[in-house]
PDB file of all heavy atoms in Angstrom:
ATOM      1  N   ASP P  16      -6.096  18.062  -2.874  1.00 48.00           N
ATOM      2  CA  ASP P  16      -4.713  18.112  -3.373  1.00 48.00           C
ATOM      3  C   ASP P  16      -3.709  18.101  -2.233  1.00 48.00           C
ATOM      4  O   ASP P  16      -3.648  19.011  -1.431  1.00 48.00           O
ATOM      5  CB  ASP P  16      -4.558  19.375  -4.222  1.00 48.00           C
ATOM      6  CG  ASP P  16      -3.151  19.528  -4.731  1.00 48.00           C
ATOM      7  OD1 ASP P  16      -2.496  18.509  -4.814  1.00 48.00           O
ATOM      8  OD2 ASP P  16      -2.746  20.677  -4.932  1.00 48.00           O
ATOM      9  N   THR P  17      -2.949  17.056  -2.143  1.00 48.00           N
ATOM     10  CA  THR P  17      -1.863  17.050  -1.140  1.00 48.00           C
ATOM     11  C   THR P  17      -0.507  17.091  -1.835  1.00 48.00           C
ATOM     12  O   THR P  17      -0.395  16.593  -2.895  1.00 48.00           O
ATOM     13  CB  THR P  17      -1.913  15.849  -0.225  1.00 48.00           C
ATOM     14  OG1 THR P  17      -1.899  14.652  -1.068  1.00 48.00           O
ATOM     15  CG2 THR P  17      -3.106  15.745   0.650  1.00 48.00           C
ATOM     16  N   VAL P  18       0.409  17.846  -1.221  1.00 47.00           N
ATOM     17  CA  VAL P  18       1.751  17.974  -1.804  1.00 47.00           C
ATOM     18  C   VAL P  18       2.761  17.394  -0.850  1.00 47.00           C
ATOM     19  O   VAL P  18       2.880  17.804   0.294  1.00 47.00           O
ATOM     20  CB  VAL P  18       2.088  19.428  -2.094  1.00 47.00           C
ATOM     21  CG1 VAL P  18       3.415  19.587  -2.735  1.00 47.00           C
ATOM     22  CG2 VAL P  18       0.954  20.061  -2.934  1.00 47.00           C
ATOM     23  N   HIS P  19       3.465  16.392  -1.300  1.00 51.00           N
ATOM     24  CA  HIS P  19       4.530  15.696  -0.422  1.00 51.00           C
ATOM     25  C   HIS P  19       3.950  15.364   0.943  1.00 51.00           C
ATOM     26  O   HIS P  19       4.637  15.569   1.932  1.00 51.00           O
ATOM     27  CB  HIS P  19       5.732  16.631  -0.366  1.00 51.00           C
ATOM     28  CG  HIS P  19       6.242  17.061  -1.652  1.00 51.00           C
ATOM     29  ND1 HIS P  19       6.502  16.226  -2.662  1.00 51.00           N
ATOM     30  CD2 HIS P  19       6.572  18.306  -2.165  1.00 51.00           C
ATOM     31  CE1 HIS P  19       6.982  16.850  -3.728  1.00 51.00           C
ATOM     32  NE2 HIS P  19       6.965  18.115  -3.441  1.00 51.00           N
ATOM     33  N   GLY P  20       2.738  14.947   1.009  1.00 55.00           N
ATOM     34  CA  GLY P  20       2.214  14.521   2.332  1.00 55.00           C
ATOM     35  C   GLY P  20       1.795  15.656   3.220  1.00 55.00           C
ATOM     36  O   GLY P  20       1.380  15.462   4.370  1.00 55.00           O
ATOM     37  N   ASP P  21       1.972  16.911   2.768  1.00 57.00           N
ATOM     38  CA  ASP P  21       1.523  18.056   3.555  1.00 57.00           C
ATOM     39  C   ASP P  21       0.047  18.184   3.602  1.00 57.00           C
ATOM     40  O   ASP P  21      -0.660  17.435   2.823  1.00 57.00           O
ATOM     41  CB  ASP P  21       2.070  19.362   2.934  1.00 57.00           C
ATOM     42  CG  ASP P  21       3.594  19.482   3.055  1.00 57.00           C
ATOM     43  OD1 ASP P  21       4.130  18.759   3.937  1.00 57.00           O
ATOM     44  OD2 ASP P  21       4.208  20.216   2.295  1.00 57.00           O
ATOM     45  N   PRO P  22      -0.561  19.009   4.476  1.00 57.00           N
ATOM     46  CA  PRO P  22      -1.992  19.113   4.475  1.00 57.00           C
ATOM     47  C   PRO P  22      -2.489  19.587   3.095  1.00 57.00           C
ATOM     48  O   PRO P  22      -1.732  20.192   2.342  1.00 57.00           O
ATOM     49  CB  PRO P  22      -2.271  20.265   5.494  1.00 57.00           C
ATOM     50  CG  PRO P  22      -1.021  20.370   6.291  1.00 57.00           C
ATOM     51  CD  PRO P  22       0.129  19.904   5.391  1.00 57.00           C
ATOM     52  N   PRO P  23      -3.756  19.337   2.798  1.00 68.00           N
ATOM     53  CA  PRO P  23      -4.331  19.780   1.484  1.00 68.00           C
ATOM     54  C   PRO P  23      -4.169  21.255   1.334  1.00 68.00           C
ATOM     55  O   PRO P  23      -4.251  22.035   2.289  1.00 68.00           O
ATOM     56  CB  PRO P  23      -5.791  19.364   1.593  1.00 68.00           C
ATOM     57  CG  PRO P  23      -5.885  18.390   2.672  1.00 68.00           C
ATOM     58  CD  PRO P  23      -4.779  18.683   3.645  1.00 68.00           C
ATOM     59  N   ARG P  24      -3.936  21.640   0.078  1.00 85.00           N
ATOM     60  CA  ARG P  24      -3.724  23.046  -0.197  1.00 85.00           C
ATOM     61  C   ARG P  24      -4.959  23.517  -1.016  1.00 85.00           C
ATOM     62  O   ARG P  24      -5.463  22.799  -1.795  1.00 85.00           O
ATOM     63  CB  ARG P  24      -2.496  23.246  -1.084  1.00 85.00           C
ATOM     64  CG  ARG P  24      -1.175  22.949  -0.378  1.00 85.00           C
ATOM     65  CD  ARG P  24      -0.032  22.859  -1.416  1.00 85.00           C
ATOM     66  NE  ARG P  24       1.200  22.725  -0.800  1.00 85.00           N
ATOM     67  CZ  ARG P  24       2.117  23.742  -0.634  1.00 85.00           C
ATOM     68  NH1 ARG P  24       1.778  24.907  -1.105  1.00 85.00           N
ATOM     69  NH2 ARG P  24       3.260  23.582  -0.095  1.00 85.00           N
ATOM     70  N   ARG P  25      -5.270  24.811  -0.771  1.00 93.00           N
ATOM     71  CA  ARG P  25      -6.262  25.438  -1.714  1.00 93.00           C
ATOM     72  C   ARG P  25      -5.517  25.932  -2.939  1.00 93.00           C
ATOM     73  O   ARG P  25      -4.334  26.243  -2.900  1.00 93.00           O
ATOM     74  CB  ARG P  25      -6.995  26.595  -1.005  1.00 93.00           C
ATOM     75  CG  ARG P  25      -7.722  26.126   0.182  1.00 93.00           C
ATOM     76  CD  ARG P  25      -8.866  27.069   0.544  1.00 93.00           C
ATOM     77  NE  ARG P  25      -9.998  26.909  -0.309  1.00 93.00           N
ATOM     78  CZ  ARG P  25     -10.758  27.965  -0.712  1.00 93.00           C
ATOM     79  NH1 ARG P  25     -10.512  29.165  -0.334  1.00 93.00           N
ATOM     80  NH2 ARG P  25     -11.772  27.794  -1.477  1.00 93.00           N
ATOM     81  N   HIS P  26      -6.216  26.057  -4.030  1.00 96.00           N
ATOM     82  CA  HIS P  26      -5.596  26.407  -5.298  1.00 96.00           C
ATOM     83  C   HIS P  26      -5.823  27.872  -5.619  1.00 96.00           C
ATOM     84  O   HIS P  26      -6.933  28.383  -5.597  1.00 96.00           O
ATOM     85  CB  HIS P  26      -6.166  25.622  -6.434  1.00 96.00           C
ATOM     86  CG  HIS P  26      -5.891  24.118  -6.368  1.00 96.00           C
ATOM     87  ND1 HIS P  26      -4.857  23.533  -7.037  1.00 96.00           N
ATOM     88  CD2 HIS P  26      -6.534  23.178  -5.650  1.00 96.00           C
ATOM     89  CE1 HIS P  26      -4.831  22.216  -6.731  1.00 96.00           C
ATOM     90  NE2 HIS P  26      -5.845  22.004  -5.891  1.00 96.00           N
ATOM     91  N   VAL P  27      -4.716  28.564  -5.975  1.00 97.00           N
ATOM     92  CA  VAL P  27      -4.786  29.878  -6.502  1.00 97.00           C
ATOM     93  C   VAL P  27      -4.450  29.760  -7.989  1.00 97.00           C
ATOM     94  O   VAL P  27      -3.466  29.128  -8.300  1.00 97.00           O
ATOM     95  CB  VAL P  27      -3.856  30.892  -5.784  1.00 97.00           C
ATOM     96  CG1 VAL P  27      -3.881  32.221  -6.527  1.00 97.00           C
ATOM     97  CG2 VAL P  27      -4.291  31.111  -4.326  1.00 97.00           C
ATOM     98  N   LEU P  28      -5.277  30.287  -8.870  1.00 98.00           N
ATOM     99  CA  LEU P  28      -5.062  30.289 -10.297  1.00 98.00           C
ATOM    100  C   LEU P  28      -4.498  31.621 -10.731  1.00 98.00           C
ATOM    101  O   LEU P  28      -4.997  32.596 -10.310  1.00 98.00           O
ATOM    102  CB  LEU P  28      -6.338  30.009 -11.045  1.00 98.00           C
ATOM    103  CG  LEU P  28      -7.288  28.954 -10.473  1.00 98.00           C
ATOM    104  CD1 LEU P  28      -8.617  28.853 -11.297  1.00 98.00           C
ATOM    105  CD2 LEU P  28      -6.584  27.563 -10.405  1.00 98.00           C
ATOM    106  N   LEU P  29      -3.440  31.570 -11.524  1.00 98.00           N
ATOM    107  CA  LEU P  29      -2.841  32.747 -11.987  1.00 98.00           C
ATOM    108  C   LEU P  29      -2.827  32.890 -13.493  1.00 98.00           C
ATOM    109  O   LEU P  29      -2.656  31.851 -14.152  1.00 98.00           O
ATOM    110  CB  LEU P  29      -1.320  32.852 -11.450  1.00 98.00           C
ATOM    111  CG  LEU P  29      -1.128  32.710  -9.949  1.00 98.00           C
ATOM    112  CD1 LEU P  29       0.328  32.757  -9.705  1.00 98.00           C
ATOM    113  CD2 LEU P  29      -1.846  33.866  -9.188  1.00 98.00           C
ATOM    114  N   PHE P  30      -2.913  34.078 -14.005  1.00 98.00           N
ATOM    115  CA  PHE P  30      -2.720  34.258 -15.462  1.00 98.00           C
ATOM    116  C   PHE P  30      -1.934  35.557 -15.702  1.00 98.00           C
ATOM    117  O   PHE P  30      -2.528  36.661 -15.677  1.00 98.00           O
ATOM    118  CB  PHE P  30      -4.089  34.333 -16.158  1.00 98.00           C
ATOM    119  CG  PHE P  30      -4.029  33.891 -17.635  1.00 98.00           C
ATOM    120  CD1 PHE P  30      -5.028  33.136 -18.196  1.00 98.00           C
ATOM    121  CD2 PHE P  30      -2.981  34.300 -18.461  1.00 98.00           C
ATOM    122  CE1 PHE P  30      -5.010  32.815 -19.554  1.00 98.00           C
ATOM    123  CE2 PHE P  30      -2.898  33.929 -19.786  1.00 98.00           C
ATOM    124  CZ  PHE P  30      -3.923  33.173 -20.347  1.00 98.00           C
ATOM    125  N   PRO P  31      -0.576  35.432 -16.002  1.00 98.00           N
ATOM    126  CA  PRO P  31       0.166  36.681 -16.222  1.00 98.00           C
ATOM    127  C   PRO P  31      -0.032  37.118 -17.714  1.00 98.00           C
ATOM    128  O   PRO P  31      -0.309  36.320 -18.583  1.00 98.00           O
ATOM    129  CB  PRO P  31       1.622  36.168 -16.052  1.00 98.00           C
ATOM    130  CG  PRO P  31       1.584  34.735 -16.257  1.00 98.00           C
ATOM    131  CD  PRO P  31       0.193  34.246 -16.007  1.00 98.00           C
ATOM    132  N   LEU P  32       0.205  38.454 -17.950  1.00 98.00           N
ATOM    133  CA  LEU P  32       0.300  38.978 -19.298  1.00 98.00           C
ATOM    134  C   LEU P  32       1.700  38.580 -19.737  1.00 98.00           C
ATOM    135  O   LEU P  32       2.717  38.742 -18.978  1.00 98.00           O
ATOM    136  CB  LEU P  32       0.191  40.491 -19.274  1.00 98.00           C
ATOM    137  CG  LEU P  32       0.170  41.141 -20.652  1.00 98.00           C
ATOM    138  CD1 LEU P  32      -1.135  40.904 -21.371  1.00 98.00           C
ATOM    139  CD2 LEU P  32       0.338  42.636 -20.492  1.00 98.00           C
ATOM    140  N   PRO P  33       1.882  38.016 -20.956  1.00 96.00           N
ATOM    141  CA  PRO P  33       3.204  37.423 -21.265  1.00 96.00           C
ATOM    142  C   PRO P  33       4.280  38.366 -21.704  1.00 96.00           C
ATOM    143  O   PRO P  33       4.840  38.256 -22.848  1.00 96.00           O
ATOM    144  CB  PRO P  33       2.784  36.416 -22.385  1.00 96.00           C
ATOM    145  CG  PRO P  33       1.643  37.030 -23.067  1.00 96.00           C
ATOM    146  CD  PRO P  33       0.849  37.772 -21.970  1.00 96.00           C
ATOM    147  N   TYR P  34       4.588  39.332 -20.891  1.00 96.00           N
ATOM    148  CA  TYR P  34       5.748  40.200 -21.125  1.00 96.00           C
ATOM    149  C   TYR P  34       6.547  40.193 -19.861  1.00 96.00           C
ATOM    150  O   TYR P  34       5.991  40.108 -18.779  1.00 96.00           O
ATOM    151  CB  TYR P  34       5.290  41.630 -21.569  1.00 96.00           C
ATOM    152  CG  TYR P  34       4.560  41.608 -22.833  1.00 96.00           C
ATOM    153  CD1 TYR P  34       3.108  41.523 -22.802  1.00 96.00           C
ATOM    154  CD2 TYR P  34       5.129  41.670 -24.117  1.00 96.00           C
ATOM    155  CE1 TYR P  34       2.338  41.524 -23.956  1.00 96.00           C
ATOM    156  CE2 TYR P  34       4.387  41.640 -25.213  1.00 96.00           C
ATOM    157  CZ  TYR P  34       2.965  41.540 -25.219  1.00 96.00           C
ATOM    158  OH  TYR P  34       2.217  41.503 -26.334  1.00 96.00           O
ATOM    159  N   GLN P  35       7.840  40.381 -19.979  1.00 96.00           N
ATOM    160  CA  GLN P  35       8.753  40.190 -18.847  1.00 96.00           C
ATOM    161  C   GLN P  35       8.374  41.041 -17.638  1.00 96.00           C
ATOM    162  O   GLN P  35       8.401  40.587 -16.500  1.00 96.00           O
ATOM    163  CB  GLN P  35      10.230  40.626 -19.268  1.00 96.00           C
ATOM    164  CG  GLN P  35      11.250  40.171 -18.218  1.00 96.00           C
ATOM    165  CD  GLN P  35      11.428  38.694 -18.141  1.00 96.00           C
ATOM    166  OE1 GLN P  35      12.029  38.091 -19.049  1.00 96.00           O
ATOM    167  NE2 GLN P  35      10.974  38.101 -17.070  1.00 96.00           N
TER     168      GLN P  35
END
Side-chain angles (χ1 to χ4, degrees):
D16 178 25
T17 54
V18 181
H19 306 310
D21 291 340
R24 291 166 175 260
R25 298 202 77 216
H26 295 262
V27 174
L28 315 178
L29 304 178
F30 203 142
L32 186 73
Y34 299 91
Q35 191 71 73

